Amino acid sequence: MSERDAASKARAAREALAERESVLVAFSGGVDSSVVAALASDALGDDAVACTAKSETLPEAELEDARRVAEEIGIRHIVVEFSELDNPDFVVNGDDRCYHCRTMRLGRMYDAARERGIETVCDGTNASDPGEGHRPGLRAVEELEVISPLLAHDITKDEVREIADEYGLSVADKPSMACLSSRIPTGLEVTEERLSRVEQAETILRTWGFEQFRVRDHDGLARIEVAPDELERALDPDFVRAARDHLKDVGFDHVTLDLHGYRTGSVSPAADDDTDDEMLVDDVFAQDYPMRK
């Protein structure tokens, strides 16, 4: 880690946090919030708290990961609960779903902070996030005046991983993990049933050893996306049969494998997709393909 780059930025962020009396970190257990928690713990000791909000959109495995990483950091960890499904604006799953989710989640963080006499709430927004397309959740961060140390000190995603590695955090190389509602196409209602079957399906893939993947729920049709370097395993006939049988057991009517592989935002507005391919399962059969002569 270059002293001129990530290390000096981390030091500046830590010093800024040390100027506050206490902070509560919105903590998912991912690499961004883990680095903020580590910096806050370094700066403030027992006056730093990591807070994870449990809801239907958070996989149980991620909650357990958050508990484990908080213990690894040595920061006090609390869990609060709420339900995005109580908000019709979230359930309808429009283009601004993430705004409503983040508003509720961070609002619950502020409640937890006030209950403990903590004035400052921090999150893990980094300097790369604003440039990554359609990110309505960032509007909630701005409106609620959440402190984002990584963004404030121009710490990019790559530098976050450098700092995490310097701290020896086990999540330094952890893939990004969006909430379960991101697996449901925009415009299709977010329901507990859909969230549950996606979580169960992804637990199965994780158990089978896949690392970078998503199971998208197209109203009962499961579209499995895996990273390009894992695609060969997913094409194995034994996996195909097992995936079909197990995913139908958890509630899907049909099971498909997306040959484009894993892509972020592939069921969200086009601006949220970091690839040039905007085609979804709905219109795949409308495409013209070359024919053999």
Side-chain angles (χ1 to χ4, degrees):
M1 182 168 62
S2 170
E3 177 66 26
R4 187 171 55 86
D5 298 317
S8 57
K9 292 179 182 181
R11 185 171 59 252
R14 188 165 51 244
E15 290 171 354
L17 286 166
E19 294 175 0
R20 299 181 179 273
E21 291 186 4
S22 56
V23 300
L24 182 143
V25 180
F27 184 71
S28 68
V31 62
D32 295 323
S33 63
S34 294
V35 164
V36 174
L39 292 170
S41 180
D42 257 7
L44 294 165
D46 292 341
D47 290 322
V49 178
C51 181
T52 303
K54 178 182 179 181
S55 71
E56 295 91 344
T57 66
L58 179 70
E60 185 64 31
E62 290 299 300
L63 179 57
E64 290 307 311
D65 251 12
R67 289 191 172 107
R68 178 186 59 77
V69 177
E71 185 175 352
E72 183 180 301
I73 293 169
I75 191 171
R76 181 157 58 104
H77 184 225
I78 61 174
V79 177
V80 297
E81 296 190 29
F82 80 111
S83 176
E84 292 105 334
L85 300 182
D86 290 339
N87 186 340
D89 292 328
F90 173 84
V91 171
V92 73
N93 198 14
D95 292 356
D96 57 354
R97 181 199 69 233
C98 290
Y99 167 75
H100 297 295
C101 173
R102 188 73 71 89
T103 298
M104 286 184 285
R105 190 172 295 272
L106 290 173
R108 190 67 187 88
M109 298 291 171
Y110 271 107
D111 291 342
R114 278 193 294 267
E115 291 165 7
R116 292 160 178 80
I118 299 173
E119 293 185 2
T120 302
V121 173
C122 296
D123 84 331
T125 302
N126 66 60
S128 301
D129 288 336
E132 291 187 348
H134 185 67
R135 301 295 296 270
L138 297 182
R139 179 157 59 97
V141 173
E142 294 174 2
E143 289 179 355
L144 292 171
E145 298 182 347
V146 174
I147 302 299
S148 302
L150 305 177
L151 178 60
H153 295 276
D154 195 33
I155 300 174
T156 66
K157 187 68 172 182
D158 288 344
E159 290 171 331
V160 171
R161 295 195 182 278
E162 285 185 56
I163 297 166
D165 189 59
E166 186 72 10
Y167 269 108
L169 298 180
S170 60
V171 293
D173 297 318
K174 182 179 179 179
S176 298
M177 183 68 180
C179 81
L180 291 172
S181 61
S182 68
R183 280 54 151 186
I184 301 171
T186 301
L188 187 64
E189 280 195 356
V190 179
T191 66
E192 190 166 0
E193 178 187 10
R194 288 171 179 147
L195 294 171
S196 176
R197 67 189 176 202
V198 165
E199 180 176 8
Q200 292 179 74
E202 293 195 349
T203 297
I204 290 168
L205 264 68
R206 189 174 297 106
T207 301
W208 286 339
F210 287 90
E211 294 183 3
Q212 185 72 78
F213 61 87
R214 295 287 188 267
V215 177
R216 312 290 187 184
D217 187 340
H218 292 265
D219 199 16
L221 183 151
R223 177 163 60 93
I224 301 172
E225 300 177 2
V226 300
D229 60 352
E230 298 183 279
L231 187 57
E232 185 175 351
R233 289 181 56 213
L235 291 169
D236 180 270
D238 290 337
F239 169 78
V240 170
R241 285 190 292 270
R244 179 192 62 209
D245 294 345
H246 283 76
L247 268 64
K248 291 188 78 171
D249 284 346
V250 303
F252 286 101
D253 300 317
H254 303 282
V255 182
T256 66
L257 176 67
D258 189 334
L259 298 183
H260 288 287
Y262 169 74
R263 295 165 293 156
T264 61
S266 69
V267 293
S268 301
D272 198 22
D273 194 346
D274 62 4
T275 73
D276 294 328
D277 189 330
E278 299 171 9
M279 183 172 64
L280 298 180
V281 168
D282 298 8
D283 57 7
V284 68
F285 296 109
Q287 307 303 308
D288 292 325
Y289 297 98
M291 302 293 289
R292 286 185 178 177
K293 295 181 179 180

